[in-house]
Amino acid sequence: MMLSALRRRALALALLLPAVPLAAQAQTPTATDSVNIRRIYDEALARGQSYENLRYLTGQIGARLSGSPQAAQAVQWGQLTMEKLGLDRVYLQEVMVPHWVRGKPEKATIRADKGKGVSLNVVALGGSVGTGGKLRAGVVEVQSLAQLAALPEAQVKGKFVFFNRPMNPLYVETGKAYGEAGDQRRSGAVAAAKRGAVGALVRSLTLAQDDLPHTGTMSYQEGVAKVPAAALSTKGADELSQLLKADSNLSVELEMSCQTLPDVKSYNVIGEIKGTKYPVQIITVGGHLDSWDLGQGAHDDGTGCVQSIEALRLLKATGLLPERTVRAVLFMNEENGNRGGIKYAEIAKANNENHLAAMESDGGGFTPRGFNIDAAPAVVRKIEVWQPLFAPYGSGQFAQGHAGTDIGPLKGQVQALVGYDCDSQRYFDIHHTAADTFDKVNRRELELGGASMAALIYLLNKYGL
């Protein structure tokens, strides 16, 4: 009997698989695994539903900041979408979330003693207090929190602190640059207030050179005055820095009406397929349903949500029903509190659940690269044995690293945390901005990502850890 071209490719791949130690042989993939994974990718590329699900989520609901009516609509959408798949169980998990509102569009102007004011494109950082009208003050520019701490009080008191440290362009991994520069956004307002400043202005966290400001979460500290914090576009930050060099006495006038309202009841949305052989062992896959209030929350993290739903659909559509229970979780409130991830882990612990692995997609829906794994070295080695199966699809880069904010609270309750990894070079151009819209998502890239996630879930289900 002649083998199909598909099976011939699978057998050829199996012959190329490297020899592995006896301890890892239980994890060693077979020609059947290669064929089954090809079936998953074929289903995703021919009949994938991620793209159309994302079109509805972003176009009909849009931005979904925690506590907003749109976030509530997204919960209903997530529940209905998973119910339509005929999963074994779909349910809501209650969680109280912060309710911060931006209010009217922010305004900022650079003013000198003479001449017209220069407008700055700014947005309030998430969680910031408002200005209570127009707030005008001088500006002191710094490159780091440490530099601010070293300045004499007279140079800071009564002024805006302007944090102007760019993301490092030399890192190939843009997430590393983002994390390294993020302290000024997260903690800048507190550091400024401790030195007597009236507010914080922060360079947007992006490598792009444009006039698009990036929001993001910031925090306050008990016992420290709450001062307003706003993000400047990179173009605006460069302009302000240049003008300060020419006139150190110029001022900035800032107007923001944002405020924090009482917490709101919301939900994680959970759908699951019960395992056929080991139902008490759980594999979680998810993304976060909330987004910032700018744009449509497409790449951050609508793509992660629809890919997680699609991973379960792909297993059902190909008949590869899992031996272990698989849950898709649409987490609420990753952006400004991580309340959904914390609640999910709390309930899992209280119920004494047995979590084998947890996977998250929260880096955009770009071209797949592989997975970041947060686990003991022995567990990482077991998963790495499967790398050759992903190489034909461009997602064979397995590395130790950060897996995801929502699944982070499960650490200690799960054998492996896994982060879906895709090409990050464009992500921070639109991250947390009004440009994070559906038109920035490529259908094939998105569907390939969901297939990659489903393929790894298939292997975790078959071989365990």
Side-chain angles (χ1 to χ4, degrees):
M1 180 183 296
M2 291 184 64
L3 292 172
S4 67
L6 179 63
R7 189 169 293 276
R8 287 199 302 272
R9 289 198 301 270
L11 288 174
L13 174 62
L15 292 173
L16 294 174
L17 294 174
V20 295
L22 289 175
Q25 282 186 1
Q27 310 290 129
T28 304
T30 66
T32 300
D33 293 325
S34 181
V35 170
N36 286 338
I37 288 174
R38 181 72 239 191
R39 289 169 57 197
I40 290 173
Y41 277 92
D42 286 351
E43 173 66 23
L45 292 173
R47 289 170 290 278
Q49 296 181 8
S50 296
Y51 193 70
E52 291 307 316
N53 281 337
L54 184 65
R55 184 195 300 275
Y56 188 94
L57 176 63
T58 56
Q60 299 301 311
I61 298 175
R64 308 167 298 279
L65 186 59
S66 291
S68 69
Q70 292 81 8
Q73 292 171 28
V75 167
Q76 296 175 355
W77 167 85
Q79 183 177 19
L80 180 61
T81 300
M82 287 198 277
E83 286 175 347
K84 288 180 179 178
L85 293 182
L87 304 181
D88 294 324
R89 186 185 180 199
V90 178
Y91 59 101
L92 302 181
Q93 188 176 76
E94 183 180 314
V95 55
M96 297 300 293
V97 299
H99 187 194
W100 178 82
V101 293
R102 184 173 301 279
K104 295 183 294 185
E106 304 87 338
K107 297 179 181 179
T109 306
I110 303 172
R111 297 201 179 278
D113 291 337
K114 297 180 181 180
K116 294 182 179 180
V118 178
S119 295
L120 281 175
N121 205 357
V122 303
V123 293
L125 293 179
S128 176
V129 296
T131 56
K134 294 180 179 179
L135 176 61
R136 182 172 177 176
V139 181
V140 57
E141 179 179 353
V142 298
Q143 295 292 312
S144 66
L145 299 177
Q147 184 182 356
L148 171 61
L151 289 178
E153 182 177 334
Q155 291 186 26
V156 181
K157 191 171 183 179
K159 296 183 179 181
F160 285 109
V161 175
F162 170 34
F163 294 93
N164 193 30
R165 183 170 83 257
M167 284 173 51
N168 191 335
L170 302 183
Y171 295 141
V172 174
E173 175 50 59
T174 58
K176 181 178 180 181
Y178 173 78
E180 189 177 88
D183 60 345
Q184 55 194 345
R185 190 195 73 196
R186 296 187 300 268
S187 307
V190 170
K194 286 181 176 179
R195 302 304 314 280
V198 299
L201 304 173
V202 183
R203 183 187 185 92
S204 284
L205 299 182
T206 177
L207 291 165
Q209 189 68 18
D210 57 28
D211 208 18
L212 194 65
H214 295 231
T215 191
T217 194
M218 51 82 65
S219 62
Y220 291 114
Q221 183 176 314
E222 188 174 351
V224 178
K226 295 182 178 181
V227 300
L232 283 63
S233 68
T234 51
K235 181 179 176 182
D238 288 344
E239 185 172 21
L240 177 56
S241 180
Q242 183 177 4
L243 291 173
L244 276 170
K245 289 178 174 64
D247 180 6
S248 61
N249 293 318
L250 62 74
S251 62
V252 165
E253 184 177 273
L254 179 66
E255 188 174 6
M256 305 195 308
S257 59
C258 46
Q259 59 179 317
T260 297
L261 304 175
D263 287 358
V264 172
K265 182 190 295 184
S266 190
Y267 303 90
N268 293 328
V269 188
I270 304 173
E272 66 180 36
I273 301 174
K274 190 174 182 179
T276 59
K277 192 172 182 180
Y278 309 107
V280 297
Q281 294 186 24
I282 300 167
I283 298 171
T284 289
V285 58
H288 64 85
L289 193 53
D290 64 303
S291 75
W292 283 109
D293 53 325
L294 310 175
Q296 296 177 325
H299 277 289
D300 188 19
D301 184 30
T303 54
C305 290
V306 297
Q307 286 173 328
S308 298
I309 296 171
E310 181 71 356
L312 270 63
R313 189 196 73 81
L314 291 171
L315 294 176
K316 284 178 62 68
T318 54
L320 300 171
L321 295 178
E323 296 184 353
R324 295 162 170 85
T325 295
V326 180
R327 284 182 185 163
V329 183
L330 312 184
F331 294 96
M332 181 58 69
N333 186 232
E334 187 271 350
E335 294 293 5
N336 60 337
N338 196 26
R339 301 274 187 89
I342 293 169
K343 175 60 69 173
Y344 182 78
E346 285 178 351
I347 292 178
K349 186 174 183 179
N351 291 341
N352 198 31
E353 292 180 345
N354 180 6
H355 277 261
L356 179 73
M359 182 189 303
E360 181 165 1
S361 171
D362 186 20
F366 299 103
T367 303
R369 289 290 180 260
F371 300 91
N372 293 321
I373 307 165
D374 183 359
V379 174
V380 174
R381 287 194 293 271
K382 289 180 180 179
I383 297 174
E384 286 177 338
V385 171
W386 303 327
Q387 279 183 279
L389 290 169
F390 292 85
Y393 311 102
S395 52
Q397 297 178 12
F398 287 31
Q400 287 186 285
H402 175 68
T405 299
D406 292 294
I407 61 176
L410 283 169
K411 192 175 179 70
Q413 301 180 52
V414 63
Q415 292 189 51
L417 298 174
V418 180
Y420 165 67
D421 188 32
C422 59
D423 189 322
S424 68
Q425 301 308 315
R426 291 169 285 162
Y427 183 57
F428 291 105
D429 291 358
I430 61 175
H431 182 249
H432 294 178
T433 75
D436 186 7
T437 51
F438 177 74
D439 60 293
K440 307 301 190 306
V441 179
N442 176 274
R443 181 173 196 143
R444 285 183 61 82
E445 291 179 335
L446 180 67
E447 302 294 0
L448 283 168
S452 298
M453 293 161 64
L456 185 56
I457 293 169
Y458 158 77
L459 293 167
L460 288 166
N461 263 294
K462 179 176 179 179
Y463 295 106
L465 291 174

